[in-house]
């Protein structure tokens, strides 16, 4: 009796346990599976789970998001909470160092990790929903907006937003990236703002020009991006506009700026010879559009863009044109010069060639580069008369420029730096070096034929 009663009691207890376990998973199907996907975390209340996240780095949280869909959804909820926002959305963009972190760890690294976290958490969402969620999370960060920061030149906000988006969109296909661009374009109302600056007088909207420059360079053209990505984003920025506006916008984004207030300096290219630093950004952008990564741009498109650029806001000094072409690389330089040869603009081509020789002399480039470029251009001419006419124009240009500079020196037109005499000095040396290389080339050809 005792044993039978014990067994019946045991059986009853087992049934109760089974019933209680069934009750604990009271909703069949998805909820049960979701709880099991949490593993050991299912025993923790949500508040404790979120408190634990405060002890993990952002990289560790992003790794945790890959464990299961259920944990990922919990992390999405955590990011949206006030404590998660305070923890993850650091806004000390005017201080390069993060408190409590190793020396040298920057806020840029933090937003790279945050971009990876949101990339993993939203992996299963459609692109449109991912963008809406990301915008919802970041909407409270004023320094991520085009006009959000009162001191944009001393703020890392837009750069942090840029590296965040760079990590978030890495590996996305072109259609998805188009959606990202359109989303940002509409969100920041860039179309209307760009229309304002490209249709008004250069420099009349200086603050807006600066904001557009910083936004495009920091967010859309984030430093460290792959060339193909930079070519894609730059194409999206420029292509909606006519060629003349593309050139204006290119100058706003990559042209020289004042070291005092950061505003675009429009008169830099027309007031006097400039240095390589002022032209490097424009040259790099032109090389990017001319390269194989920019599939929507033809050689003619880029040459037309360079032509338009050289008259903004007025016609540039020829020396600055020559320096830009040299910095843009051999392929672009030759294509630009060859187009002038084909179109019968021998005098303009000769003048540009002389200034290239002058830039080689001033900036310490090898003069044989200029001579070899002249050789390649000479092969473009279809008849010997055209070639000889170009060479005659070249020598006449050297002579006329020397006479003009000599007259300026004799007339006593000198400034504090004595630039007129210095220009004459450089031009005489440039002519001598240029002709010396031609003689070397001629003698070597004679030696090889005999």
């Amino acid at each position: 009796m005792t044993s039978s009663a014990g067994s019946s009691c045991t059986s009853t207890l087992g049934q109760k346990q089974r019933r209680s376990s069934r009750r604990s998973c009271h909703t069949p199907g998805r909820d049960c599976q979701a709880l099991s996907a949490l593993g050991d975390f299912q025993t923790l209340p949500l508040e404790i789970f979120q408190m634990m996240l405060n002890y993990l780095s952002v990289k560790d949280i992003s790794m945790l998001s890959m464990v299961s869909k259920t944990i990922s959804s919990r992390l999405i909820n955590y990011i949206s909470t006030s404590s998660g926002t305070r923890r993850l959305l650091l806004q000390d963009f005017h201080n390069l160092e993060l408190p409590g972190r190793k020396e040298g760890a920057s806020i840029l690294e933090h937003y790279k990790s945050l971009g990876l976290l949101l990339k993993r958490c939203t992996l299963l969402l459609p692109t449109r929903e991912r963008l809406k969620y990301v915008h919802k999370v970041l909407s409270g960060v004023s320094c991520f907006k085009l006009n959000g920061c009162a001191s944009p030149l001393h703020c890392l906000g837009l750069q942090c937003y840029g590296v965040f988006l760079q990590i978030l969109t890495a590996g996305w296909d072109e259609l998805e990236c188009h959606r990202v661009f359109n989303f940002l374009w509409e969100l920041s109302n860039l179309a209307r703002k760009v229309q304002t600056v490209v249709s008004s007088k250069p420099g009349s909207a200086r603050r807006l020009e600066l904001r557009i420059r910083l936004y495009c360079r920091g967010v859309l053209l984030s430093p460290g991006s792959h060339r193909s990505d930079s070519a894609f984003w730059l194409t999206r920025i420029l292509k909606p506009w006519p060629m003349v506006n593309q050139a204006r916008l290119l100058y706003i984004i990559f042209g020289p700026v004042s070291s005092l207030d950061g505003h675009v300096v429009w008169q830099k290219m027309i007031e006097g010879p400039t240095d390589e630093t002022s032209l490097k950004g424009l040259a790099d952008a032109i090389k990017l559009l001319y390269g194989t990564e920019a599939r929507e741009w033809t050689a003619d498109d880029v040459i037309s863009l360079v032509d338009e650029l050289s008259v903004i806001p007025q016609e540039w000094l020829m020396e600055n044109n020559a320096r830009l072409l040299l910095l843009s690389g051999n392929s672009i330089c030759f294509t630009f010069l060859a187009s002038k040869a084909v179109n019968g603009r021998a005098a303009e081509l000769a003048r540009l060639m002389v200034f290239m020789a002058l830039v080689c002399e001033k900036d310490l480039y090898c003069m044989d580069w200029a001579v070899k470029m002249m050789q390649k251009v000479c092969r473009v001419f279809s008849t010997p008369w055209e070639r000889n006419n170009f060479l005659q124009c070249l020598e006449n240009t050297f002579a006329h420029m020397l006479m003009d500079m000599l007259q300026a020196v004799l007339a006593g037109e000198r400034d504090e730096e004595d630039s007129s005499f210095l220009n004459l000095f450089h031009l005489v040396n440039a002519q001598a070096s240029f002709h010396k290389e031609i003689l070397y080339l001629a003698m070597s050809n004679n030696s090889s034929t005999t």
Side-chain angles (χ1 to χ4, degrees):
M1 289 291 288
T2 306
S3 61
S4 64
S7 63
S8 65
C9 184
T10 304
S11 174
T12 305
L13 287 171
Q15 290 173 359
K16 287 181 178 179
Q17 288 175 354
R18 284 194 294 274
R19 288 192 194 109
S20 65
S21 67
R22 283 197 295 271
R23 288 195 196 101
S24 67
C25 189
H26 57 279
T27 307
R30 291 184 181 176
D31 288 352
C32 226
Q33 292 173 2
L35 285 172
S36 64
L38 284 171
D40 292 337
F41 289 116
Q42 66 182 324
T43 61
L44 295 175
L46 182 60
E47 294 80 3
I48 302 298
F49 174 75
Q50 292 183 356
M51 287 175 63
M52 288 177 56
L53 295 177
N54 292 329
Y55 293 92
L56 298 178
S57 68
V58 181
K59 288 183 179 179
D60 291 337
I61 296 174
S62 71
M63 291 294 291
L64 183 62
S65 69
M66 300 174 68
V67 171
S68 69
K69 183 180 177 181
T70 308
I71 287 183
S72 181
S73 65
R74 283 206 173 188
L75 291 175
I76 288 177
N77 293 332
Y78 166 71
I79 294 169
S80 303
T81 62
S82 57
S83 61
T85 300
R86 284 195 304 272
R87 161 83 194 288
L88 297 174
L89 297 183
L90 302 178
Q91 298 191 41
D92 192 12
F93 300 116
H94 303 267
N95 182 8
L96 301 184
E97 299 298 324
L98 293 179
R101 294 285 298 274
K102 293 180 180 179
E103 185 178 355
S106 70
I107 198 169
L108 292 169
E109 294 172 358
H110 173 82
Y111 275 93
K112 283 182 181 179
S113 300
L114 184 61
L116 186 59
L117 169 59
L118 291 187
K119 182 187 187 77
R120 289 170 172 172
C121 284
T122 60
L123 190 62
L124 300 178
L125 295 178
T127 303
R128 195 179 301 275
E129 297 303 316
R130 295 177 90 171
L131 294 175
K132 285 181 180 178
Y133 173 74
V134 169
H135 171 60
K136 180 183 175 183
V137 171
L138 302 181
S139 59
V141 185
S142 60
C143 289
F144 284 0
K145 299 172 184 176
L146 190 143
N147 291 312
C149 183
S151 181
L153 286 174
H154 306 98
C155 179
L156 285 175
L158 293 178
Q159 292 183 47
C160 288
Y161 194 20
V163 297
F164 172 88
L165 288 174
Q166 182 183 333
I167 298 298
L168 179 72
T169 59
W172 289 18
D173 62 34
E174 198 166 292
L175 179 60
E176 290 175 315
C177 290
H178 268 281
R179 288 174 178 165
V180 174
F181 177 81
N182 291 335
F183 183 83
L184 294 172
W185 196 255
E186 293 171 9
L187 186 66
S188 55
N189 200 14
L190 263 174
R192 184 178 65 82
K193 291 179 170 64
V194 170
Q195 180 64 50
T196 299
V197 296
V198 298
S199 59
S200 57
K201 184 180 178 181
S204 60
R206 299 171 68 211
R207 291 184 179 179
L208 186 54
E209 289 171 357
L210 174 62
R211 296 280 184 176
I212 290 172
R213 177 189 177 96
L214 293 176
Y215 190 86
C216 289
R217 289 173 71 107
V219 178
L220 301 176
L221 303 167
S222 178
S225 300
H226 294 295
R227 284 183 62 83
S228 57
D229 294 335
S230 297
F232 171 83
W233 294 111
L234 184 55
T235 300
R236 301 280 69 75
I237 293 169
L238 297 179
K239 272 297 183 180
W241 307 98
M243 187 65 72
V244 61
N245 290 347
Q246 288 179 14
R248 283 276 295 272
L249 192 51
L250 197 72
Y251 194 97
I252 289 172
I253 298 173
F254 297 105
V257 293
S258 168
S259 58
L260 299 176
D261 55 17
H263 290 128
V264 178
V265 182
W266 290 99
Q267 305 300 315
K268 185 85 170 178
M269 304 301 171
I270 60 179
E271 289 180 342
T274 188
D275 55 8
E276 292 186 358
T277 306
S278 301
L279 289 164
K280 189 178 185 307
L282 289 169
D284 289 342
I286 291 167
K287 282 192 283 189
L288 186 65
L289 296 177
Y290 191 81
T292 55
E293 298 89 355
R295 292 170 297 180
E296 298 177 46
W297 294 82
T298 65
D300 288 340
D301 290 337
V302 178
I303 296 307
S304 299
L305 185 61
V306 174
D307 256 333
E308 289 289 349
L309 189 62
S310 65
V311 293
I312 291 177
Q314 299 171 26
E315 188 173 354
W316 289 12
L317 293 182
M318 192 64 79
E319 183 177 329
N320 293 333
N321 273 330
R323 187 170 279 109
L324 177 64
L325 287 174
L326 260 74
L327 292 173
S328 298
N330 290 352
S331 297
I332 297 172
C333 188
F334 171 71
T335 305
F336 189 85
L337 296 175
S339 69
K340 295 191 180 300
V342 169
N343 292 321
R345 296 157 71 177
E348 186 179 341
L349 174 60
R351 185 169 170 79
L352 190 53
M353 199 74 239
V354 169
F355 273 100
M356 282 189 169
L358 180 60
V359 171
C360 286
E361 171 64 26
K362 281 187 173 183
D363 296 352
L364 304 179
Y365 290 108
C366 294
M367 191 61 73
D368 67 335
W369 178 89
V371 172
K372 289 176 181 176
M373 184 62 67
M374 182 196 68
Q375 265 192 309
K376 289 178 68 176
V377 171
C378 283
R379 297 190 190 104
V380 174
F381 292 107
S382 54
T383 64
W385 182 89
E386 290 176 332
R387 183 180 66 247
N388 293 338
N389 178 55
F390 161 67
L391 294 174
Q392 184 63 56
C393 287
L394 188 69
E395 293 304 318
N396 290 342
T397 302
F398 264 121
H400 290 155
M401 285 181 60
L402 282 169
M403 290 301 297
D404 290 342
M405 289 185 180
L406 182 59
Q407 268 190 330
V409 171
L410 294 176
E413 297 177 10
R414 297 188 177 185
D415 52 24
E416 292 180 0
E417 298 179 357
D418 206 7
S419 59
S420 58
F421 180 78
L422 198 59
N423 285 335
L424 177 61
F425 170 80
H426 284 307
L427 185 60
V428 170
N429 279 342
Q431 185 185 36
S433 298
F434 187 79
H435 287 103
K436 178 188 70 176
E437 293 296 334
I438 292 176
L439 289 173
Y440 284 163
L441 190 64
M443 295 303 293
S444 63
N445 287 340
N446 286 338
S447 299
S448 60
T449 54
T450 57

